[in-house]
Amino acid sequence: MNKSMSRTARFAIGAIALSAAALFGAASADAATLKGAPPPFDKGGVKIALVNYLSEGDFFQAYEAGAQKQAKALGIDLRIYEGRQDAAQQRDQIQQAINLGVSAIIVNHGLPESLKDVVQQALDKGIKVVAFDVDLANPKIPQIEQSDHDLATLLLGQAVKDNGNAFSAGYVYVAGFAPLDRRDAVWQAFKQAHPGVHEQARWGTVDNPIAQSVANQAAAAYRAHPDIRVVIAPYDEFARGASLAADEANVASKLRIYSADISTADIEAIRAPGSAWVATAATNPAVVGAVSVRAAALDVAGQPLAHHIVVKPTLVTRDDLVKNDIHTIAELGVKFPAFRVSDAATAAWIPVD
Ligand code: SR1
């Protein structure tokens, strides 16, 4: 997130936090005064670990910032382990968190097969585990997601609205990431239901820097398949790469790109004159980070928590951004309340941003 956005966002989020606190009659950011909080949150200083598989890019930075802010409001000592897309390192970090004696571990993405036994060790020691976007297939581990089904359905619906039922498409995808796999299932079903839609080329990589790596692949795909008119790129780093390549190849005017995720930088890219990137279906990742911490806190407190915790996405088009003069995530939150706050994993004693 850039710095000017952060300042505006902090102001908006602060205002919302105040109204939320008033609404719930609870909660200041000082753990010692968390009125009505159950043990161990009544004393403060509860240690929780956030163990990331991916950390780079706007989505994951905003997710982490949202988690930190919510943790601070709950008086939680949040220990963050950065993800480097290294399964062995993520296992090791979970082990470190267990040894540190945390009360809960939030697992953010990762490869299920390399995590299932180590998270079971945590559970066996009485440590709560919640997972965001990695299916650990354990009834004791609540799963948080953005409703990838809805997200993909929204962006494909907009693609049909803009382009009709028949078009040549490029598709950006990497298998093995739970949210991308869930979005892919929708894309596969969509193609079955729309025989006029042809996937002409598929590419994708999560090699850092992701957007540039995807741009290099997209440039080759655009050269080989000049008939591509629509690009389905359901991750903002993918869309940024697809858009960059379209600009460089001077084909942006004949392409439309549909994505997932949003950040202030994405809003700028979508709004840019002549941009091929026309719509995205997204949540506010900072809200998802906050929901992840609240879910972990409820689990630690032994309070009711759904097994599937969903943060619903919203469709945002360039027209929405231009007509409403929206330039930042904070401004987006004024128009679309879902970008300010979620009611997922809440309780009266929890301050909600
Ligand atoms: C590589 S997985 C990337 C996705 O994870 C999160 O769910 C974001 O929405 C992003 O699109």
Side-chain angles (χ1 to χ4, degrees), residues 54 59-60 109 132-133 146 177 179-180 183 206 234-235 261:
L54 287 156
F59 183 94
F60 294 102
H109 286 71
F132 167 54
D133 268 355
Q146 303 173 83
F177 291 90
L180 302 186
R183 295 166 199 173
V206 288
Y235 172 18
D261 309 317

Side-chain angles (χ1 to χ4, degrees), residues 169-172 203 222 228-233 242 255-258:
Y171 177 48
V172 194
W203 64 94
Y222 298 158
I228 290 177
R229 292 289 170 273
V230 168
V231 177
I232 304 299
L255 276 184
R256 290 197 183 104
I257 299 170
Y258 299 84

Side-chain angles (χ1 to χ4, degrees), residues 1 57-67 132 146 236 261-264 266 282-292 311 329 332 338-339:
M1 290 193 298
D58 291 358
F59 183 94
F60 294 102
Q61 285 172 19
Y63 174 88
E64 209 172 284
F132 167 54
Q146 303 173 83
D236 62 347
D261 309 317
I262 200 157
S263 67
T264 290
D266 295 343
T283 65
N284 180 345
V287 168
V288 183
V291 167
S292 303
V311 182
I329 291 288
L332 191 63
F339 285 98

Side-chain angles (χ1 to χ4, degrees), residues 146-164:
Q146 303 173 83
S147 184
D148 295 289
H149 179 275
D150 288 7
L151 190 150
T153 303
L154 285 170
L155 72 92
L156 291 171
Q158 186 63 31
V160 167
K161 196 171 165 199
D162 294 345
N163 305 284

